[in-house]
Amino acid sequence: MALGRVLSGLGPSNLAALGLGHRVEALAYTVCEGFGAAASTIVGQWLGAGYEKEARHAAAHAAKFTAWVMVPLSVVMVLFPVPIVSVFTSDPVTVAASASYLRIIGFLAPAMGVEHVMDGALIGAGDTLPSLIWGLLLCLARLAAAIWLSGRFGVAGVWWAISLSTAVKAVLKSWAFQKSRLPLLAQRRQ
């Protein structure tokens, strides 16, 4: 809601642009969630069998694979945003703002895949606190960055805040999984 306030203050079409961007991005989000669920399952299975190395390898492999799966969608979002959003609206201001959103988000769409896979891997390991902490902190940081960047770059600053916070979450959640004590494995050993 706070992000919506920032966007509304930058012009009435920007909130609509975010909504349209989210509709297009929903395809990528759904794919990423599927890979996250798969990572949760495979990490949990490996750890349940007592294989830490294999669980960590499976998570890393799933993250890389998901990032690569996101590349074609990323390319489409960056190169063809106007035809995509024109399916939903003919308002030129909303089209321009939505196209800007898709171009910027598209650059870091593979990071969304890594973030979701690492969320799943942490869930599969029974270590959900890092996802909660990093998710909350970076959502707050996203808002602060959106306010700051919008003052310098307008609505594109908000889009960059969203995109960059996703990339940072991907890095931090990957790090959290690498450093995790893997509680599911510890339970098995008791």
Side-chain angles (χ1 to χ4, degrees):
M1 287 191 299
L3 196 56
R5 273 293 211 189
V6 173
L7 286 169
S8 294
L10 296 169
S13 294
N14 294 323
L15 196 53
L18 180 65
L20 288 177
H22 280 172
R23 283 183 182 84
V24 173
E25 194 180 16
L27 173 63
Y29 182 85
T30 303
V31 169
C32 293
E33 276 294 298
F35 278 106
S40 178
T41 302
I42 197 71
V43 166
Q45 287 177 337
W46 279 120
L47 293 176
Y51 295 103
E52 176 181 350
K53 181 180 172 187
E54 288 80 358
R56 291 190 190 277
H57 176 74
H61 182 73
K64 287 177 200 166
F65 186 80
T66 307
W68 278 108
V69 165
M70 295 302 295
V71 168
L73 183 58
S74 182
V75 168
V76 169
M77 287 167 53
V78 170
L79 296 180
F80 306 107
V82 172
I84 293 169
V85 297
S86 293
V87 170
F88 300 101
T89 184
S90 59
D91 177 54
V93 177
T94 304
V95 168
S98 299
S100 170
Y101 176 81
L102 290 181
R103 278 188 193 103
I104 291 169
I105 293 298
F107 278 112
L108 293 171
M112 180 177 31
V114 173
E115 178 195 355
H116 285 264
V117 166
M118 288 303 153
D119 269 339
L122 286 161
I123 290 167
D127 195 5
T128 57
L129 190 59
S131 284
L132 174 67
I133 291 170
W134 290 125
L136 286 174
L137 289 176
L138 285 160
C139 280
L140 292 172
R142 172 185 286 180
L143 180 58
I147 292 167
W148 185 73
L149 290 170
S150 70
R152 283 156 179 69
F153 306 105
V155 72
V158 177
W159 306 152
W160 278 110
I162 293 169
S163 194
L164 293 171
S165 66
T166 298
V168 172
K169 282 193 277 185
V171 169
L172 291 173
K173 289 178 182 183
S174 296
W175 174 80
F177 182 73
Q178 289 173 357
K179 298 299 180 189
S180 176
R181 293 183 183 179
L182 308 172
L184 184 64
L185 186 60
Q187 276 181 337
R188 185 187 181 285
R189 290 180 178 159
Q190 290 178 356

